[in-house]
Amino acid sequence: MSLLITQVQVTIEEMPPNDNYNGYRDYRDWFPYQSFRPHQEEMLDRVQEVACSGEHRVLAIDAPTGSGKTSVIAPLLANRGGNKIVVALRTVSQIGVYLGEIKKIKRETGHSPSVAYLVGKHKMCKLSGEFDNVYAGCDLMKVFTMDVLEAKLNETMRRNNRSAQEYNVYDPETDPEIATEIADESPGYRTFCPYYLHSKEAYTNEGAKNFRPSKQAINDSKAILQEILYPEELRKRCTRTCPYEVMAISAKKADVVILNYNHVFDDAMRDALFDWLEINPENTILLVDEAHNLGDTVRSINSDTITLHVVEKAISEVNQVTGEKNRIVARSAGNILSRISTYMEKTRNRWQGRKQGEDWFDPGMFADFVFAGGGLARDDSQSIADLLKLAQNIKKQKQKSSESAEVFLERVSEFLFMLHLARRDSSYLPVKSMSDDQWLTLAIRSLDPSPVIAGIADTVHATILISGTLSPAAAYELYYFGKNGRVEILSIPNQFPKEKRLVLGAKNATTQSSYRNNPSNQRELELHISALIEGVLGNVAIYFTSYSMMDQYFDHCRRAAQESGKILYTEPKDARDVPDILKRFFESGSSDKKGVLLAVCGGKMSEGIDYYGEALKGAIVVGFPLAAFSEVQKLVNSYYQRKYGRDQGLFIAYTLPAVNKAIQALGRVHRSADETGVLVLCDSRFSRGGGLGVRQYLPQWMQDEMIICDGTWSRELVQGW
Ligand code: SF4
């Protein structure tokens, strides 16, 4: 009988892939729904084909909300072969969507995909409530805990009279005294992390002391691989071990590993993390969620900033350096730091009275000033290398004396390293900026994400980029990969019924600078705004191009809100106040007193928030949300114009982000097929093609459905809808 079972199992496992689908392993068997949405099958077929053939292919899917794009995980799982699927998320909020989809696959199809994730340490850490900064706090706790483990291992060897050359193990699970020591610790004043302690064991190997996952952590990781747990459930499940460590062990065996953008697109972090999780990039299928954010996020990951506060902290670290050898380097580091501080103070004083603003600074002049003590034979690279080495020594000293793991000299040194790059490479832009009339920041901004993104795509087995607003996709391809023809593009039509939306484009109104103060133009803008506030019987959002424009139209919006019996909500300055305002705005949507939200396109409330159901019944983008045409923006534009030519370069650097901000903001209204709403593109540039017009860059459904109207007709259309 057992022989028969074995033979049957072998037969099933060795079955060739279903050749009904050109030799691919048919994902329909992994698809957890009764039927496909329109175009979904076509999308999943393409994903299947790319995942199977590999060859570093890249597929970009532009699929509006409602297309069922999370289901791309099914063909990836069905066809991953020996590859691991790495899902890169921009925000931790998306993790539930993927876990939910994989859970459904497990429940509905009988397959057992395993998943691990390393996102949102603040949600996973058992001690998160005890730290201001969970990452820094955890780093320090781990160092302390390793010291405890090592001391315990030494004690075990001494007690058993054994040498380090022999094999010794200290496993906290078998230590009868450890429970008392843990109980003696006070929250907020711990000398080690009990969960990390139970996740590790220390051992000797040929005289060297090492650490490895404890049996308890391995058992926990095996258990959680059997099921799919949300972060809160995982936290509860790991009663003695660290959920983050347990997840990291699981990740080595999991079919799918969910990470954040930084883990994947920060070169240093990726190398370390992939190594730790035993992920071979060449055997990875990369799925990038919300890919319209990828370029800007990669640029930000590869940029660096310092403030006066950071420099002052670094000076204080250097002043505390001990040891004769270190003192010599510390003296020269102190000189460099104080010159940076002088440069920043002078810049700040020169900018007093200028509340906001940013400008380019010359990296050569900055380096001449900062490294001035080096004389003719100065060697900036060597000075930076010395600073980085000193920063490492300070880090070790801090860890020994139980201070925070953050080393400010390291941040300054890395900034100087980037500045050094910026002297030769125009894709790094040095920028000084001022906020609130007093805070000066020096930044080296990375302008071009394409070397990083293309480099990763050229390494992994295959890459799938998905987004609801990747329009126009060919421009994103150029921005992300530096050339056209590298990416296969699939654009899916909007699946929501067109009867559920009214799309209006302003005929004349514009926020173009030459018309901004023109009274009849202002009147037109106001008419469009009033038409939405007064005509829509529900919550509406008014998205402006800037905070100053929001102030300019504030009184008008308040009057219109009052006349229609609605409550006015305004995007707060402080991001911490957003949840409270959103909560009240959402409640308004289901009450008699509807709400009007004033916010900024590309601000805190126009992207990444799901305004479900009654929360939003209409939105208007007032003006075309171009970035301010500052000196810095001009330099960004020139970089891209040099790279891609005058028109294409300007489009990528300047116009594309504005188009995306507008589409994102209006995309808040329809989050499911049964929702209705009014969308207004209130700038004549949206309504026109050619010249300054951008209509041809909008998603096809928007172009097709847009009714071009003036403010008066806008009111009639909204009221009659
Ligand atoms: S080791 Fe785990 S439980 Fe301990 S502080 Fe770090 S994340 Fe938190």
Short mmCIF file of all heavy atoms in Angstrom, two decimals, residues 121-122 124-128 131 134-135 137-142 145 192-197 199 241-245, ligand 1:
data_model
loop_
_atom_site.label_atom_id
_atom_site.label_comp_id
_atom_site.label_asym_id
_atom_site.label_seq_id
_atom_site.Cartn_x
_atom_site.Cartn_y
_atom_site.Cartn_z
N LYS A 121 8.63 47.23 11.08
CA LYS A 121 9.16 46.71 12.35
C LYS A 121 8.36 47.25 13.53
O LYS A 121 8.19 46.56 14.54
CB LYS A 121 10.63 47.10 12.49
CG LYS A 121 11.42 46.17 13.38
CD LYS A 121 12.88 46.56 13.40
CE LYS A 121 13.77 45.34 13.32
NZ LYS A 121 15.18 45.64 13.38
N HIS A 122 7.84 48.47 13.41
CA HIS A 122 7.07 49.04 14.52
C HIS A 122 5.82 48.21 14.80
O HIS A 122 5.30 48.22 15.91
CB HIS A 122 6.72 50.50 14.25
CG HIS A 122 6.05 50.72 12.93
ND1 HIS A 122 6.75 50.72 11.74
CD2 HIS A 122 4.77 50.91 12.61
CE1 HIS A 122 5.91 50.91 10.75
NE2 HIS A 122 4.70 51.03 11.24
N MET A 124 5.76 44.86 14.23
CA MET A 124 6.17 43.49 14.56
C MET A 124 6.93 43.41 15.89
O MET A 124 6.91 42.39 16.56
CB MET A 124 7.05 42.93 13.44
CG MET A 124 6.28 42.71 12.15
SD MET A 124 7.37 42.54 10.73
CE MET A 124 7.84 40.84 10.85
N CYS A 125 7.63 44.47 16.25
CA CYS A 125 8.51 44.43 17.43
C CYS A 125 7.69 44.29 18.71
O CYS A 125 6.72 45.01 18.93
CB CYS A 125 9.35 45.71 17.47
SG CYS A 125 10.31 45.86 18.98
N LYS A 126 8.12 43.37 19.57
CA LYS A 126 7.41 43.15 20.83
C LYS A 126 7.66 44.28 21.82
O LYS A 126 6.93 44.43 22.80
CB LYS A 126 7.88 41.83 21.47
CG LYS A 126 7.71 40.61 20.59
CD LYS A 126 6.31 40.09 20.57
CE LYS A 126 6.00 39.20 21.73
NZ LYS A 126 4.70 38.54 21.57
N LEU A 127 8.73 45.05 21.61
CA LEU A 127 9.04 46.13 22.55
C LEU A 127 8.79 47.50 21.92
O LEU A 127 9.29 48.51 22.42
CB LEU A 127 10.53 46.05 22.97
CG LEU A 127 11.02 44.75 23.59
CD1 LEU A 127 12.50 44.87 23.95
CD2 LEU A 127 10.22 44.41 24.84
N SER A 128 8.05 47.55 20.82
CA SER A 128 7.96 48.81 20.07
C SER A 128 7.49 49.97 20.95
O SER A 128 7.93 51.11 20.76
CB SER A 128 7.05 48.65 18.86
OG SER A 128 5.78 48.22 19.27
N PHE A 131 10.28 52.25 22.65
CA PHE A 131 11.27 53.04 21.90
C PHE A 131 10.64 54.26 21.25
O PHE A 131 9.49 54.20 20.80
CB PHE A 131 11.88 52.20 20.76
CG PHE A 131 12.49 50.89 21.19
CD1 PHE A 131 12.12 49.71 20.56
CD2 PHE A 131 13.43 50.85 22.19
CE1 PHE A 131 12.68 48.50 20.93
CE2 PHE A 131 14.00 49.63 22.57
CZ PHE A 131 13.62 48.46 21.94
N VAL A 134 11.99 52.76 16.75
CA VAL A 134 12.07 51.31 16.94
C VAL A 134 13.31 50.72 16.26
O VAL A 134 13.92 49.77 16.77
CB VAL A 134 10.77 50.62 16.47
CG1 VAL A 134 10.62 50.65 14.98
CG2 VAL A 134 10.69 49.20 16.97
N TYR A 135 13.73 51.30 15.12
CA TYR A 135 14.88 50.73 14.41
C TYR A 135 16.17 50.96 15.21
O TYR A 135 16.96 50.03 15.41
CB TYR A 135 15.00 51.34 13.01
CG TYR A 135 13.90 50.84 12.10
CD1 TYR A 135 12.70 51.53 11.99
CD2 TYR A 135 14.05 49.65 11.40
CE1 TYR A 135 11.68 51.05 11.19
CE2 TYR A 135 13.03 49.17 10.59
CZ TYR A 135 11.85 49.87 10.49
OH TYR A 135 10.83 49.39 9.70
N GLY A 137 16.35 51.72 18.43
CA GLY A 137 16.22 51.04 19.72
C GLY A 137 16.52 49.56 19.58
O GLY A 137 17.25 48.96 20.39
N CYS A 138 16.00 48.96 18.53
CA CYS A 138 16.20 47.53 18.31
C CYS A 138 17.68 47.24 18.04
O CYS A 138 18.23 46.27 18.57
CB CYS A 138 15.32 47.06 17.15
SG CYS A 138 15.71 45.40 16.62
N ASP A 139 18.31 48.08 17.21
CA ASP A 139 19.74 47.86 16.91
C ASP A 139 20.56 47.78 18.19
O ASP A 139 21.41 46.92 18.37
CB ASP A 139 20.29 49.00 16.03
CG ASP A 139 19.91 48.82 14.58
OD1 ASP A 139 19.37 47.74 14.26
OD2 ASP A 139 20.11 49.75 13.79
N LEU A 140 20.25 48.72 19.09
CA LEU A 140 21.00 48.77 20.35
C LEU A 140 20.71 47.53 21.20
O LEU A 140 21.61 46.89 21.75
CB LEU A 140 20.60 50.04 21.09
CG LEU A 140 21.57 50.53 22.15
CD1 LEU A 140 22.92 50.82 21.53
CD2 LEU A 140 21.03 51.79 22.81
N MET A 141 19.42 47.18 21.28
CA MET A 141 19.02 46.01 22.09
C MET A 141 19.70 44.74 21.58
O MET A 141 20.10 43.87 22.37
CB MET A 141 17.50 45.81 21.99
CG MET A 141 16.72 46.62 22.97
SD MET A 141 17.13 46.15 24.64
CE MET A 141 17.07 47.72 25.41
N LYS A 142 19.83 44.65 20.26
CA LYS A 142 20.43 43.43 19.70
C LYS A 142 21.91 43.34 20.10
O LYS A 142 22.40 42.25 20.43
CB LYS A 142 20.27 43.42 18.17
CG LYS A 142 18.88 42.95 17.77
CD LYS A 142 18.49 43.37 16.40
CE LYS A 142 18.92 42.48 15.31
NZ LYS A 142 18.27 42.80 14.03
N THR A 145 22.06 42.28 23.66
CA THR A 145 21.64 40.89 23.83
C THR A 145 22.75 39.93 23.38
O THR A 145 22.97 38.89 24.01
CB THR A 145 20.34 40.63 23.03
OG1 THR A 145 19.43 41.67 23.32
CG2 THR A 145 19.71 39.30 23.40
N PHE A 192 18.78 44.01 27.85
CA PHE A 192 18.76 43.12 26.68
C PHE A 192 17.31 42.90 26.26
O PHE A 192 16.39 43.22 27.02
CB PHE A 192 19.46 41.77 26.98
CG PHE A 192 18.82 40.96 28.08
CD1 PHE A 192 17.83 40.03 27.78
CD2 PHE A 192 19.19 41.13 29.41
CE1 PHE A 192 17.24 39.27 28.78
CE2 PHE A 192 18.61 40.39 30.41
CZ PHE A 192 17.62 39.45 30.11
N CYS A 193 17.15 42.36 25.03
CA CYS A 193 15.79 42.08 24.55
C CYS A 193 15.49 40.60 24.80
O CYS A 193 16.15 39.73 24.23
CB CYS A 193 15.68 42.39 23.06
SG CYS A 193 14.13 41.79 22.37
N PRO A 194 14.51 40.29 25.65
CA PRO A 194 14.23 38.88 25.97
C PRO A 194 13.79 38.08 24.74
O PRO A 194 14.04 36.88 24.66
CB PRO A 194 13.10 38.97 26.99
CG PRO A 194 12.50 40.32 26.83
CD PRO A 194 13.59 41.21 26.32
N TYR A 195 13.15 38.76 23.79
CA TYR A 195 12.65 38.05 22.61
C TYR A 195 13.80 37.72 21.65
O TYR A 195 13.82 36.67 21.04
CB TYR A 195 11.57 38.89 21.91
CG TYR A 195 10.45 39.24 22.86
CD1 TYR A 195 10.39 40.48 23.48
CD2 TYR A 195 9.49 38.29 23.19
CE1 TYR A 195 9.39 40.78 24.39
CE2 TYR A 195 8.48 38.58 24.10
CZ TYR A 195 8.44 39.83 24.70
OH TYR A 195 7.46 40.12 25.61
N TYR A 196 14.73 38.65 21.56
CA TYR A 196 15.90 38.38 20.71
C TYR A 196 16.73 37.27 21.36
O TYR A 196 17.25 36.39 20.67
CB TYR A 196 16.72 39.66 20.55
CG TYR A 196 17.78 39.56 19.48
CD1 TYR A 196 17.43 39.41 18.14
CD2 TYR A 196 19.13 39.62 19.80
CE1 TYR A 196 18.39 39.31 17.15
CE2 TYR A 196 20.11 39.52 18.81
CZ TYR A 196 19.73 39.37 17.49
OH TYR A 196 20.68 39.27 16.51
N LEU A 197 16.83 37.34 22.68
CA LEU A 197 17.60 36.33 23.42
C LEU A 197 17.06 34.93 23.12
O LEU A 197 17.82 34.00 22.83
CB LEU A 197 17.51 36.62 24.92
CG LEU A 197 18.42 35.78 25.79
CD1 LEU A 197 19.80 36.43 25.90
CD2 LEU A 197 17.84 35.60 27.18
N SER A 199 15.53 34.04 20.59
CA SER A 199 15.58 33.73 19.15
C SER A 199 16.95 33.24 18.72
O SER A 199 17.14 32.86 17.58
CB SER A 199 15.24 34.98 18.33
OG SER A 199 14.00 35.50 18.72
N THR A 241 9.70 34.56 21.25
CA THR A 241 10.73 34.94 20.28
C THR A 241 10.39 36.27 19.60
O THR A 241 9.26 36.76 19.70
CB THR A 241 10.83 33.85 19.20
OG1 THR A 241 9.51 33.55 18.76
CG2 THR A 241 11.51 32.61 19.71
N CYS A 242 11.38 36.81 18.89
CA CYS A 242 11.17 38.08 18.17
C CYS A 242 10.49 37.79 16.82
O CYS A 242 11.04 37.04 16.00
CB CYS A 242 12.52 38.75 17.94
SG CYS A 242 12.43 40.04 16.68
N PRO A 243 9.33 38.38 16.58
CA PRO A 243 8.61 38.11 15.32
C PRO A 243 9.44 38.45 14.08
O PRO A 243 9.35 37.76 13.07
CB PRO A 243 7.39 39.04 15.40
CG PRO A 243 7.24 39.37 16.84
CD PRO A 243 8.60 39.31 17.45
N TYR A 244 10.24 39.49 14.19
CA TYR A 244 11.04 39.91 13.04
C TYR A 244 12.10 38.85 12.71
O TYR A 244 12.31 38.50 11.55
CB TYR A 244 11.71 41.25 13.38
CG TYR A 244 12.10 42.07 12.19
CD1 TYR A 244 11.14 42.79 11.48
CD2 TYR A 244 13.42 42.14 11.77
CE1 TYR A 244 11.49 43.56 10.38
CE2 TYR A 244 13.78 42.90 10.67
CZ TYR A 244 12.81 43.61 9.99
OH TYR A 244 13.17 44.36 8.90
N GLU A 245 12.73 38.33 13.76
CA GLU A 245 13.75 37.30 13.56
C GLU A 245 13.11 36.02 13.02
O GLU A 245 13.65 35.36 12.14
CB GLU A 245 14.47 37.00 14.88
CG GLU A 245 15.36 38.10 15.37
CD GLU A 245 16.53 38.36 14.43
OE1 GLU A 245 17.20 37.40 14.02
OE2 GLU A 245 16.77 39.54 14.11
S1 SF4 B 1 14.90 42.03 18.56
FE1 SF4 B 1 12.78 41.94 17.93
S2 SF4 B 1 11.55 42.19 19.76
FE2 SF4 B 1 13.66 42.76 20.26
S3 SF4 B 1 13.73 44.96 19.98
FE3 SF4 B 1 14.33 44.08 18.03
S4 SF4 B 1 12.44 43.84 16.82
FE4 SF4 B 1 11.88 44.21 18.95
#
